[in-house]
Amino acid sequence: NYSLAAIAFDEDAHVLLSPTAVTDVDDYGTDFNPLSGHGGRTNIGAALELAERIAGEFFVAAAKDSVPASAVVILM
């Protein structure tokens, strides 16, 4: 079972997709184009902080259900 989350960042970071089961990801409902609506500085720190927060919340939810969980952050 895999879940995906996506964060977009430039000067700010925001969640494009909250942790969602791969089978439930709507390819057409979210604009995943990295060039769409972005510009300015590259604030990697803000993106990594947001990724840490999302992963932490994911781990808490998994622990409540006694489900083993891990996270992989891919920075592009």
Side-chain angles (χ1 to χ4, degrees), residues 6 16-17 26-33:
L16 286 178
L17 179 68
D26 180 4
D27 296 336
Y28 302 104
T30 303
D31 183 6
F32 292 108
N33 181 345

Side-chain angles (χ1 to χ4, degrees), residues 28-66:
Y28 302 104
T30 303
D31 183 6
F32 292 108
N33 181 345
L35 301 177
S36 178
H38 299 287
R41 301 179 324 194
T42 304
N43 192 348
I44 293 171
L48 291 173
E49 287 175 358
L50 184 53
E52 179 182 33
R53 189 187 68 176
I54 290 171
E57 292 169 357
F58 181 75
F59 292 148
V60 168
K64 287 180 183 176
D65 295 333
S66 299

